[in-house]
Amino acid sequence: GVIHHIEGSLNGPLGNYASDGKMKGLAVLRSHGGRWQAIQDGEVHIDIAIIAAPTADPFGNCTGDRGPSACGLLGFGLADSLYADHVVVVTDNLVDFPCVPWQIQGNNVDHVVVLDKVGEPEKIVSGTTQITKSPDRLFIAELTAKFVKAAGIMQDGFSFQAGAGGTALAFAIYLRELMKEAGVKARFIRGGSTKYLVEMLEEGLTDFILDGQTFDLEGVRSMRENSGHINTSPFTSYNWHGKGNFASILDAVVLGATEVDINFNANVVTHSDGQMLHGIGGWQNCLFSKCTILPIPSFRNRIPIIVDEVTTLVGPGELIDVIITERGIAINPKREDLIKATKKSGLPIRKIEEIKEEV
Amino acid sequence: GVIHHIEGSLNGPLGNYASDGKMKGLAVLRSHGGRWQAIQDGEVHIDIAIIAAPTADPFGNCTGDRGPSACGLLGFGLADSLYADHVVVVTDNLVDFPCVPWQIQGNNVDHVVVLDKVGEPEKIVSGTTQITKSPDRLFIAELTAKFVKAAGIMQDGFSFQAGAGGTALAFAIYLRELMKEAGVKARFIRGGSTKYLVEMLEEGLTDFILDGQTFDLEGVRSMRENSGHINTSPFTSYNWHGKGNFASILDAVVLGATEVDINFNANVVTHSDGQMLHGIGGWQNCLFSKCTILPIPSFRNRIPIIVDEVTTLVGPGELIDVIITERGIAINPKREDLIKATKKSGLPIRKIEEIKEEV
């Protein structure tokens, strides 16, 4: 093979392969924002970028929100279009100039190639975008929503980010009910958009979805039709080498983790045996939110998830505010404000050491 | 004074001042696209950019299409936002994050300053956006529209650009009637948008307006309300140091000129006495269109406009295709295709030397 190494997310079989030391060069894990930064800073130079575009014009303007292979947005290809030496757009839906909207601008594109088919849009609904059916995880999601309310975060004009994991989706659904009950409206939700967030937008529970990755076809439709469903990019959302980014102004972010430890450090990349089996996505990029919450089960396949020290330190404890398990809610001792706000909430607030001792 | 010299358009009193040699440093005239290129290439370094924004959020996202001082688009400030060391957005209409659309992205902005008032939108309707009342110029505009039709340019899916000068506006109005009669629809019109172009968009005579500068309040309204009224920038339209620009794919462009000569060279910057009295705008940036037309009167204030040699060579003759005066239409001899296409049109096609001899 001619591939020396891979920089990006390494998960599944590829993660196994790299974990076992079989990759010739050094694998570099990069988050969504980290990838943008590396390209922008010149740390990674891209000779040729191939961008699959569901709709494009002959000039190279292209969009992901329409066409037979519509996938939502092309934000992850934006840096490539800006910085690669050669940019090739591949489409199966060529329209007359101008392709509007132009999520990627033809002024950055060298060539447009037309193929019969560039993708299967129904496949963008991956296994991670199903709501969990596990009673434990549904309970954790419910606890998380109740915590967000009890902590005073769920106020008119607030914002939150929930990824496409099953628990995160369930959290959004529980929170939606609490918002309806209280008559509270969000200013914006950052997603991974799904039909659940789209429903919230269409019900008037939020002014905007700031979409970083469209996870189902309802998300694609909404982006195309609803002027409140906005496409974003790692530049707008996650770029820490710029003049600001949206992730830092979120009121609450809900993320997954493979392990956490008693100092609130978290791991999202490896299992306890050190195998890299999960992508990073925008995980670390989200940690500067005003309240970062990890709702996780205390056991997975009989392996305890709260440990003395994480196998791989991905998120430092000072940036993790709350860990929520089916055995209770642990608030980072640094967040005295959250501890105080939820003291009389009736929620099972516990010390993380206590929860760990039980598992 | 502390200003050493000015780079940009120098017209009116400032043009007089510089023409008289009173500016300490060397004035540099830059077109819209030339300015973008100079900034992008590092030829001009901007320490501080102040961008007046009719609507902005505290993050710095801003737009010109709404708010009490709405002016349309902010395309001319886009390069500044991308390349200046310090970017300050000044607004009189601060909205909650996110300000959507974000014509300029807050990720490129350092500070947001709120003032009571940033502009008087009714003043954007300048003297140049009134249709000419001169019978001669109306006749020239009509001849221009008839030429565009006779040459076979006015076909379904075609495109044209007409600036905000009185003759150019009249041309658009005559062309609109010819398009209606023939049942022809444009794919896009590049403007300087005005109420006349907006009417064409709303009547379905074009799919899109690609707007580079909004010249009246109907243009502002249309940009805000109509998804076919698109804001552009010198990057998308005029940047010749990039991978392409929209100006190069127009089927016809109609521009003004202060002088032309028998070799089709044109001048738009100075009068015959060498005084710089007119801005350049995007004038040269448009010359690579498929058919560049200069509709001009043969006399202005008793001074002949067709000369042996222009005082200042701004546009080389090889890029000027047609000159249209009230005394007839001169086609550049290089454009044998246009000469052939219009031969039997009944239009007053004449040699430029013949027209010159009359004036």
Side-chain angles (χ1 to χ4, degrees):
Chain A
V2 294
I3 295 174
H4 177 264
H5 71 284
I6 293 173
E7 308 199 14
S9 272
L10 293 171
N11 44 1
L14 208 55
N16 246 328
Y17 186 83
S19 300
D20 292 348
K22 292 178 183 164
M23 193 175 283
K24 196 174 175 185
L26 186 69
V28 181
L29 300 189
R30 294 196 188 274
S31 63
H32 291 330
R35 183 174 183 276
W36 184 289
Q37 285 162 209
I39 297 170
Q40 168 193 281
D41 297 351
E43 199 177 323
V44 170
H45 178 82
I46 303 175
D47 295 320
I48 302 175
I50 313 287
I51 298 173
T55 294
D57 67 33
F59 193 83
N61 296 303
C62 54
T63 184
D65 75 353
R66 58 199 67 193
S69 302
C71 63
L73 73 164
L74 301 176
F76 293 126
L78 186 60
D80 308 66
S81 78
L82 292 172
Y83 295 104
D85 287 343
H86 298 277
V87 178
V88 181
V89 160
V90 178
T91 190
D92 56 10
N93 189 40
L94 192 71
V95 299
D96 286 343
F97 175 92
C99 167
V100 173
W102 48 68
Q103 292 180 347
I104 284 179
Q105 296 193 312
N107 311 78
N108 294 314
V109 173
D110 296 282
H111 307 284
V112 178
V113 174
V114 180
L115 293 184
D116 288 344
K117 201 167 186 188
V118 297
E120 296 178 41
E122 55 280 4
K123 294 263 172 80
I124 72 169
V125 183
S126 72
T128 59
T129 56
Q130 307 293 327
I131 294 178
T132 182
K133 286 173 184 160
S134 145
D136 269 7
R137 297 194 189 189
L138 284 171
F139 177 64
I140 295 169
E142 192 179 358
L143 268 187
T144 306
K146 285 181 173 169
F147 177 86
V148 167
K149 184 185 175 189
I153 296 168
M154 192 192 85
Q155 291 184 358
D156 259 333
F158 84 120
S159 60
F160 69 93
Q161 171 157 348
T167 307
L169 286 179
F171 153 75
I173 290 167
Y174 283 114
L175 189 67
R176 174 168 67 174
E177 293 312 310
L178 297 179
M179 288 169 67
K180 280 185 190 171
E181 275 170 36
V184 163
K185 182 177 183 174
R187 177 61 175 168
F188 69 97
I189 306 175
R190 259 201 56 80
S193 74
T194 59
K195 64 179 173 181
Y196 309 107
L197 298 193
V198 167
E199 282 166 14
M200 291 180 75
L201 179 65
E202 292 178 350
E203 287 168 355
L205 289 172
T206 183
D207 291 327
F208 296 101
I209 295 174
L210 300 188
D211 193 343
Q213 185 169 9
T214 320
F215 278 121
D216 64 22
L217 297 181
E218 276 295 280
V220 177
R221 176 188 64 76
S222 172
M223 176 172 289
R224 187 171 57 243
E225 294 177 358
N226 196 323
S227 61
H229 191 136
I230 310 294
N231 82 84
T232 70
S233 72
F235 172 69
T236 54
S237 304
Y238 291 149
N239 180 20
W240 294 96
H241 291 184
K243 291 184 175 180
N245 64 64
F246 299 168
S248 60
I249 56 177
L250 278 150
D251 290 316
V253 165
V254 172
L255 299 168
T258 57
E259 289 180 325
V260 296
D261 69 26
I262 51 172
N263 296 309
F264 286 79
N265 298 308
N267 176 13
V268 75
V269 169
T270 67
H271 286 199
S272 56
D273 57 4
Q275 290 276 315
M276 292 191 293
L277 294 172
H278 301 275
I280 312 178
W283 198 88
Q284 306 108 300
N285 309 131
C286 293
L287 299 182
F288 276 91
S289 85
K290 292 181 197 156
C291 185
T292 300
I293 307 173
L294 306 182
I296 47 173
S298 61
F299 280 95
R300 281 200 191 97
N301 301 321
R302 297 190 206 136
I303 297 168
I305 296 307
I306 303 179
V307 296
D308 285 323
E309 204 174 330
V310 287
T311 311
T312 306
L313 177 57
V314 183
E318 64 195 291
L319 298 178
I320 313 290
D321 299 293
V322 187
I323 292 166
I324 301 183
T325 74
E326 77 284 5
R327 293 166 193 268
I329 298 172
I331 302 176
N332 192 323
K334 290 178 194 288
R335 292 302 303 268
E336 290 172 15
D337 57 332
L338 295 175
I339 293 168
K340 192 176 167 197
T342 55
K343 202 164 195 171
K344 294 177 181 166
S345 64
L347 291 171
I349 314 285
R350 305 178 65 190
K351 286 203 179 340
I352 193 161
E353 293 84 354
E354 274 177 42
I355 302 178
K356 181 183 173 284
E357 277 165 25
E358 279 185 22
V359 297
Chain B
V2 293
I3 296 174
H4 177 263
H5 70 285
I6 293 173
E7 307 199 13
S9 271
L10 293 171
N11 45 1
L14 209 55
N16 245 330
Y17 187 84
S19 300
D20 292 348
K22 292 179 183 164
M23 192 174 283
K24 194 174 176 187
L26 186 68
V28 181
L29 300 189
R30 294 195 189 275
S31 64
H32 292 329
R35 183 175 183 276
W36 184 289
Q37 285 161 210
I39 297 170
Q40 168 193 282
D41 297 352
E43 199 177 321
V44 170
H45 178 81
I46 302 175
D47 295 319
I48 302 174
I50 312 288
I51 298 173
T55 295
D57 66 32
F59 193 84
N61 296 303
C62 55
T63 184
D65 75 353
R66 60 199 66 195
S69 302
C71 63
L73 74 164
L74 301 176
F76 293 126
L78 186 60
D80 308 66
S81 78
L82 292 171
Y83 295 104
D85 288 343
H86 297 277
V87 178
V88 182
V89 160
V90 178
T91 191
D92 56 10
N93 188 39
L94 191 72
V95 297
D96 286 343
F97 175 93
C99 167
V100 173
W102 48 66
Q103 291 180 347
I104 284 178
Q105 297 192 312
N107 312 77
N108 294 316
V109 173
D110 297 280
H111 307 284
V112 177
V113 175
V114 181
L115 293 185
D116 288 343
K117 199 166 187 191
V118 297
E120 296 178 40
E122 56 280 5
K123 294 264 173 79
I124 73 169
V125 183
S126 72
T128 60
T129 57
Q130 307 293 329
I131 294 178
T132 181
K133 286 174 184 157
S134 144
D136 268 7
R137 297 195 189 188
L138 284 171
F139 176 66
I140 295 169
E142 189 178 1
L143 266 188
T144 307
K146 285 181 173 169
F147 178 86
V148 167
K149 182 184 176 190
I153 296 168
M154 192 192 85
Q155 290 185 358
D156 259 332
F158 84 119
S159 59
F160 69 93
Q161 171 159 346
T167 308
L169 287 178
F171 154 75
I173 290 166
Y174 282 114
L175 190 66
R176 174 169 70 174
E177 292 313 310
L178 297 179
M179 288 169 67
K180 280 186 188 171
E181 275 170 33
V184 163
K185 182 177 181 173
R187 177 60 176 170
F188 68 97
I189 307 175
R190 260 201 56 79
S193 73
T194 58
K195 64 179 175 181
Y196 309 106
L197 298 192
V198 168
E199 282 167 11
M200 292 181 75
L201 179 64
E202 293 180 349
E203 286 169 356
L205 288 173
T206 182
D207 291 327
F208 296 101
I209 295 174
L210 301 188
D211 193 343
Q213 186 169 7
T214 319
F215 279 120
D216 64 23
L217 297 180
E218 275 295 279
V220 177
R221 176 188 64 75
S222 172
M223 175 172 287
R224 185 170 60 243
E225 293 177 0
N226 195 324
S227 61
H229 191 137
I230 311 294
N231 81 83
T232 69
S233 72
F235 172 69
T236 55
S237 304
Y238 291 148
N239 180 18
W240 293 96
H241 292 184
K243 291 184 175 181
N245 63 65
F246 299 168
S248 60
I249 58 179
L250 278 151
D251 290 316
V253 165
V254 172
L255 298 169
T258 56
E259 289 180 323
V260 295
D261 69 26
I262 51 172
N263 295 309
F264 286 78
N265 299 307
N267 176 13
V268 74
V269 168
T270 67
H271 285 197
S272 55
D273 58 5
Q275 291 277 316
M276 293 190 293
L277 294 173
H278 300 276
I280 312 178
W283 197 88
Q284 304 108 302
N285 309 132
C286 294
L287 299 183
F288 276 90
S289 84
K290 293 181 197 155
C291 184
T292 301
I293 306 172
L294 306 182
I296 47 174
S298 60
F299 279 95
R300 281 199 191 96
N301 302 323
R302 296 189 208 139
I303 297 168
I305 296 306
I306 303 178
V307 295
D308 285 323
E309 203 173 333
V310 288
T311 312
T312 306
L313 178 56
V314 184
E318 63 196 292
L319 298 178
I320 312 291
D321 300 292
V322 187
I323 292 166
I324 301 183
T325 74
E326 77 284 6
R327 291 166 194 268
I329 299 172
I331 303 176
N332 193 321
K334 289 179 194 286
R335 291 304 302 268
E336 289 172 17
D337 56 332
L338 293 175
I339 294 168
K340 194 176 165 194
T342 54
K343 201 163 194 170
K344 293 175 183 168
S345 64
L347 290 171
I349 314 284
R350 304 177 65 188
K351 286 201 178 346
I352 193 162
E353 293 84 354
E354 275 178 41
I355 303 178
K356 182 186 173 283
E357 278 165 27
E358 280 185 22
V359 298

